[in-house]
Amino acid sequence: MENELINNLKQEATQYGKAAGKVGKLQLIGIISRILGLFLLIFTVVLCALALFTFGAVAAIDAMAKCMPVWTAALIISSTYIVLIIIAVACRRPLFIHPFIALMTKQMIRTQEDLDLEMLKAEHELDLQNMRIETKVENATRELSIYTSLIHHVWKWITGKLSK
């Protein structure tokens, strides 16, 4: 009976540890993907801003020097970079965050919503494992309390008979 109880507690503790590990892993993936996505977004915006200023400067110099159509082309390129910056900011999740989530979970989870759903599932499994362990411990404690109470009553009965 004791070996079975200990084995059940070991198994429950192992499952609880696995569930806790999965929750931690998914939370870590979420944090790292957001950090890397934000880093890449900032890096892209900075590079595009530098390119924008470079082309704007070339266009301004060329416009002042010649006042010919060359500056128009440079301004068109600059406006294209402005549009690219707007697209990068607007599409930051599918361009930066979701690929990292898919990469870090080995293509099992592809989007932030999938990650949130998996995290909820893992937290639910963790809660279930916690409840199972608590139930097992409560049952073992209750059984131990019943046995000790029974032994105590039997002992009192025996000592009562011996004292008469």
Side-chain angles (χ1 to χ4, degrees), residues 98-123:
H98 293 169
F100 282 107
I101 291 173
L103 178 67
M104 294 174 78
T105 58
K106 297 179 183 164
Q107 304 298 327
M108 291 172 27
I109 302 170
R110 296 190 182 276
T111 64
Q112 181 72 34
E113 292 78 21
D114 291 343
L115 179 64
D116 292 339
L117 182 64
E118 286 297 318
M119 195 175 302
L120 280 174
K121 286 179 184 178
E123 288 172 352

Side-chain angles (χ1 to χ4, degrees), residues 26-146:
L26 291 173
Q27 287 175 344
L28 184 65
I29 288 171
I31 291 168
I32 290 173
S33 65
R34 286 185 193 102
I35 289 171
L36 289 175
L38 184 60
F39 171 74
L40 284 177
L41 175 67
I42 291 169
F43 186 68
T44 302
V45 169
V46 167
L47 285 179
C48 288
L50 289 174
L52 173 71
F53 291 134
T54 301
F55 285 118
V58 170
I61 291 170
D62 198 39
M64 286 186 245
K66 297 179 183 177
C67 291
M68 296 302 286
V70 174
W71 65 271
T72 310
L75 288 178
I76 290 172
I77 298 289
S78 298
S79 62
T80 304
Y81 277 99
I82 290 173
V83 169
L84 288 175
I85 290 171
I86 292 170
I87 290 172
V89 170
C91 300
R92 66 184 175 274
R93 281 185 171 233
L95 289 176
F96 303 110
I97 295 174
H98 293 169
F100 282 107
I101 291 173
L103 178 67
M104 294 174 78
T105 58
K106 297 179 183 164
Q107 304 298 327
M108 291 172 27
I109 302 170
R110 296 190 182 276
T111 64
Q112 181 72 34
E113 292 78 21
D114 291 343
L115 179 64
D116 292 339
L117 182 64
E118 286 297 318
M119 195 175 302
L120 280 174
K121 286 179 184 178
E123 288 172 352
H124 178 69
E125 182 65 29
L126 182 64
D127 290 340
L128 285 176
Q129 292 300 328
N130 191 20
M131 291 295 284
R132 286 181 184 140
I133 289 174
E134 286 177 5
T135 304
K136 296 272 186 186
V137 169
E138 286 175 6
N139 286 341
T141 306
R142 191 176 302 117
E143 284 180 20
L144 182 63
S145 175
I146 289 171

